[in-house]
């Protein structure tokens, strides 16, 4: 079984994105939901994960609305595959009009 963490960075402000709700799905089933801490992190999200395809949904609209910033993406959804037993880290680099992600370590 694998574990999952995430980290959200506000690329425009150059700071961690605290207060972003992140929800983990397996297909249409919600497995867990957490809010990023002051360092923009969720250290462990959800239960141990068997191999499969999962989706993280970041509530970016609420994050930017709380800062009174207009944003293009109300949410960011990232699908990823758990293929082997390990720790998976899925970071998100965020701005009001763009985002980027990668498989972290």
């Amino acid at each position: 079984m694998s574990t999952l963490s995430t980290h959200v960075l506000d690329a425009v402000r150059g700071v961690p994105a605290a207060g972003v709700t992140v929800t983990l799905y397996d297909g249409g089933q919600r497995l867990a939901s957490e809010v990023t801490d002051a360092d923009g992190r969720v250290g462990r999200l959800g239960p141990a994960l068997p191999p499969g395809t999962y989706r993280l949904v970041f509530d970016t609209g609420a994050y930017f609305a709380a800062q009174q910033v207009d944003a293009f993406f109300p949410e960011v959804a990232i699908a990823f595959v758990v293929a082997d037993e390990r720790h998976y880290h899925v970071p998100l680099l965020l701005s009001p009009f763009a985002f980027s992600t990668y498989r972290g370590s």
Side-chain angles (χ1 to χ4, degrees), residues 29-82:
Q29 181 181 0
R30 180 180 169 268
L31 298 179
S33 188
E34 298 286 343
V35 176
T36 58
D37 65 14
D39 195 34
R41 296 181 184 274
V42 174
R44 174 139 184 190
L45 182 58
L49 303 174
T53 301
Y54 298 89
R55 186 169 44 99
L56 283 176
V57 177
F58 298 81
D59 187 0
T60 56
Y63 170 75
F64 284 118
Q67 298 175 51
Q68 300 179 339
V69 172
D70 291 330
F72 184 68
F73 300 103
E75 67 180 26
V76 172
I78 301 169
F80 63 98
V81 174
V82 169

Side-chain angles (χ1 to χ4, degrees), residues 5-31:
S5 61
T6 189
H7 187 200
V8 184
L9 295 172
D10 185 324
V12 172
R13 295 174 50 222
V15 298
V20 177
T21 299
V22 185
T23 305
L24 174 65
Y25 293 91
D26 180 0
Q29 181 181 0
R30 180 180 169 268
L31 298 179

